[in-house]
Amino acid sequence: MVVLENISKCYRTRRGDVYALRDVNLRIEKGEFIVLSGPSGSGKTTLLMTIAAMLRPSSGRVCIGESDIYAMAISERARFRAGNIGFVFQMFHLVPYLNIVENVLLAGRLSGRNASKAAAEDLLRQLGLGERTGHKPAELSAGEKQRAAIARALFNRPQIILADEPTGNLDPDNASAVLGHLAEFHGNGGTVIVATHGPGAQEFASHTIRLRDGAIEGTE
Ligand SMILES: Nc1ncnc2c1ncn2[C@@H]1O[C@H](COP(=O)(O)OP(=O)(O)O)[C@@H](O)[C@H]1O
Ligand SMILES: [Mg+2]
């Protein structure tokens, strides 16, 4: 359901061109749990953002289901992203001046879904944040922030969740809680792609894709 054909990405900088992805071909089936591994600088973040409809590749095609996502107009792509893709960042990326229920509701608003505050609160409760819904991100621990970010990613009932080193700033207990929530989403039929260089996520993986220097080095 996710197909990448001949994807290359070159960042043009004042210091010259940086080739972050080199002719990547990839097919990810619905319901897989993919771990994307590789050393720092190998292209994991670039690849995730390309799949997430957030970063146009320099060449190649990305199809999600029937949709050729970079052939869409920008507004159509934004709507597609909000309705189909959840993204979890290493550094949480919560909106600092909104409390966490408002952060979650913002995701709903971007998708054009008529979402209730009660639904957002209920989801936060399921993630163990029922007592925290009125708190701003700065008032939460790192583990709580990441669970709030997962709530935001889950809120629109996406088909795919992409997570970029989601446990990189968490202690082991919070890391396994976060991976547990991703595994639960996967258990309910969702597709998960996690970039990581740590071992924790491997136990859930249906496949591991290894990147090196912007190319797929191996799949197992
Ligand atoms: N916005 C950018 N501008 C220029 N180069 C970039 C940019 N983002 C990433 N890169 C470069 O692209 C390569 C891949 O980076 P990235 O996708 O962040 O890898 P990873 O997530 O595996 O660490 C690296 O060489 C990095 O320096
Ligand atoms: Mg990265």
Side-chain angles (χ1 to χ4, degrees):
M1 55 126 24
V2 177
V3 179
L4 277 68
E5 287 173 5
N6 308 110
I7 292 296
S8 293
K9 177 67 186 179
C10 175
Y11 292 106
R12 301 197 179 283
T13 73
R14 268 179 296 164
R15 289 157 172 262
D17 293 351
V18 179
Y19 286 87
L21 295 174
R22 300 164 194 269
D23 198 26
V24 171
N25 288 282
L26 190 58
R27 184 185 177 85
I28 296 169
E29 303 298 336
K30 188 171 162 60
E32 286 193 299
F33 192 121
I34 301 292
V35 167
L36 190 59
S37 73
S40 179
S42 59
K44 302 183 296 298
T45 296
T46 302
L47 185 57
L48 279 188
M49 288 177 59
T50 303
I51 297 171
M54 297 195 292
L55 183 70
R56 177 184 289 281
S58 305
S59 59
R61 212 153 72 108
V62 180
C63 291
I64 299 181
E66 300 292 295
S67 304
D68 181 346
I69 58 178
Y70 292 100
M72 293 176 178
I74 289 177
S75 60
E76 190 190 353
R77 184 161 66 251
R79 210 165 27 244
F80 179 87
R81 181 172 64 229
N84 294 282
I85 295 168
F87 203 99
V88 179
F89 300 86
Q90 179 173 359
M91 296 299 287
F92 326 120
H93 287 266
L94 296 163
V95 179
Y97 52 85
L98 298 179
N99 67 32
I100 61 172
V101 76
E102 291 163 345
N103 265 278
V104 171
L105 281 167
L106 185 60
R109 215 165 301 141
L110 292 172
S111 75
R113 185 178 148 221
N114 187 17
S116 74
K117 188 174 178 203
E121 286 171 339
D122 188 47
L123 181 56
L124 285 165
R125 209 170 300 124
Q126 289 170 37
L127 287 151
L129 294 168
E131 307 293 307
R132 295 278 189 216
T133 57
H135 289 241
K136 304 257 171 76
E139 297 162 344
L140 303 179
S141 72
E144 289 168 337
K145 277 184 239 189
Q146 198 58 306
R147 279 182 279 138
I150 288 196
R152 176 182 58 185
L154 288 169
F155 190 56
N156 290 333
R157 305 178 190 284
Q159 28 171 343
I160 309 172
I161 289 193
L162 301 153
D164 193 5
E165 313 214 24
T167 61
N169 285 304
L170 304 183
D171 61 66
D173 283 352
N174 278 302
S176 62
V178 160
L179 290 172
H181 291 301
L182 294 176
E184 189 182 336
F185 172 76
H186 174 241
N188 292 328
T191 306
V192 178
I193 309 175
V194 185
T196 172
H197 49 244
Q202 303 283 354
E203 66 173 291
F204 302 110
S206 43
H207 293 287
T208 299
I209 295 169
R210 280 180 292 116
L211 274 182
R212 178 172 296 274
D213 295 334
I216 294 179
E217 184 185 48
T219 305
E220 51 257 346

